[in-house]
Amino acid sequence: MPPSPISIHDAAQIISANGSHVLVCDTCALIDIIRLPMRATNEKDIARTLAAVYRIEALVSAQKVTIICPPPVSDEWHRNAPATRTELEGFISEAGRAYQNIKTAAAAHGEVMPSLSFPVERTAKYFYDVSERILSTSLLLHNENAPSMRATSRALSCIPPARKGKVADCVVYEHTMELFDNLTTGSNCRKRILLTSNSEDFFDGPKYPKPPIDKELISRGAILCKNWNWALGEISKCQDA
């Protein structure tokens, strides 16, 4: 079961009391864990990303990192994660069929390849469970009126991260900004990170936020990161991370 949502004010108080780094995740960041085997360029990418996720989990357990999921991240995860898990199962099954085809083709000219069993359901469940575990350790934010109204206005004006008037990314973003604003005064928290792989809506090129996201984040002492390795790298810059 996911945790119950809390107010932005209460989340800010918890973060301030812990003095923790803040890692805000959108839905893409969580779903990326499930689709990691499908999107990684090589096996090292998978190992590095999982190592980063495990390290961040450990920092959450030590109360050095607080993961935040604004609305509508939890609802979107529950709508999309099962289908992504099924997609991963299909990906692994197809890899098994391809291997069997190569094995048969190799046998035609005398090459012997070992028989392999591809653990389709267990592997897909593993990545699904890691993603779900991150969600379960997060603080979920209530959908609040003021940031939601700003999100609607932002979407209607097509201001990034809005695209074609879509509101969901703006809701995530404006609740994140509201949280960071609540932390600006009297807070001893350190790194403030928004994690999303949604390059098209958030990033201008491979590394930099789109305007006006760039200035809005800078004014709040926050950073935009595209993947879990990047986020961990920023956190690790602090000596006590």
Side-chain angles (χ1 to χ4, degrees):
M1 291 291 292
S4 298
I6 62 175
S7 70
I8 292 173
H9 174 77
D10 288 347
Q13 286 195 322
I14 291 170
I15 294 163
S16 296
N18 291 342
S20 64
H21 305 289
V22 185
L23 178 59
V24 181
C25 294
D26 73 352
T27 311
C28 291
L30 298 176
I31 296 292
D32 280 348
I33 297 172
I34 306 174
R35 55 193 175 202
L36 178 59
M38 296 183 283
R39 295 200 170 182
T41 55
N42 54 55
E43 68 275 12
K44 291 182 180 179
D45 284 349
I46 297 175
R48 280 194 294 261
T49 299
L50 286 176
V53 172
Y54 297 155
R55 178 59 183 155
I56 288 171
E57 277 192 290
L59 291 171
V60 171
S61 296
Q63 296 188 330
K64 291 186 175 182
V65 170
T66 301
I67 298 178
I68 300 289
C69 289
V73 170
S74 180
D75 290 341
E76 288 183 336
W77 188 92
H78 284 93
R79 284 199 304 270
N80 293 293
T84 308
R85 175 177 172 175
T86 300
E87 185 183 0
L88 178 55
E89 289 175 352
F91 173 82
I92 299 168
S93 295
E94 184 57 36
R97 288 190 290 271
Y99 180 84
Q100 186 58 45
N101 288 346
I102 295 168
K103 179 174 179 289
T104 301
H109 60 86
E111 295 283 349
V112 178
M113 296 174 61
S115 296
L116 295 179
S117 175
F118 285 67
V120 175
E121 293 182 0
R122 291 198 307 276
T123 302
K125 181 180 184 301
Y126 168 78
F127 284 92
Y128 179 94
D129 288 349
V130 172
S131 179
E132 185 176 41
R133 197 165 65 236
I134 293 294
L135 178 62
S136 70
T137 61
S138 304
L139 296 182
L140 305 185
L141 300 183
H142 276 304
N143 193 325
E144 299 191 9
N145 286 336
S148 293
M149 290 177 65
R150 289 196 300 272
T152 300
S153 176
R154 193 177 190 107
L156 291 173
S157 300
C158 293
I159 299 171
R163 178 161 48 102
K164 299 179 180 178
K166 291 187 178 180
V167 179
D169 287 331
C170 294
V171 172
V172 169
Y173 183 75
E174 288 294 347
H175 279 77
T176 301
M177 295 302 100
E178 182 83 4
L179 174 66
F180 291 162
D181 286 343
N182 272 256
L183 292 170
T184 298
T185 304
S187 171
N188 58 347
C189 76
R190 298 181 296 280
K191 291 287 184 176
R192 301 173 185 179
I193 300 170
L194 172 56
L195 174 58
T196 177
S197 62
N198 183 353
S199 298
E200 188 171 0
D201 296 330
F202 282 88
F203 286 88
D204 186 8
K207 294 176 60 177
Y208 301 106
K210 286 184 173 183
I213 296 173
D214 51 356
K215 292 182 179 180
E216 291 168 347
L217 289 173
I218 288 171
S219 70
R220 294 166 173 86
I223 305 163
L224 185 65
C225 292
K226 193 176 290 188
N227 56 60
W228 291 91
N229 300 306
W230 186 348
L232 179 62
E234 292 293 339
I235 292 168
S236 298
K237 290 177 181 178
C238 295
Q239 292 183 353
D240 61 343

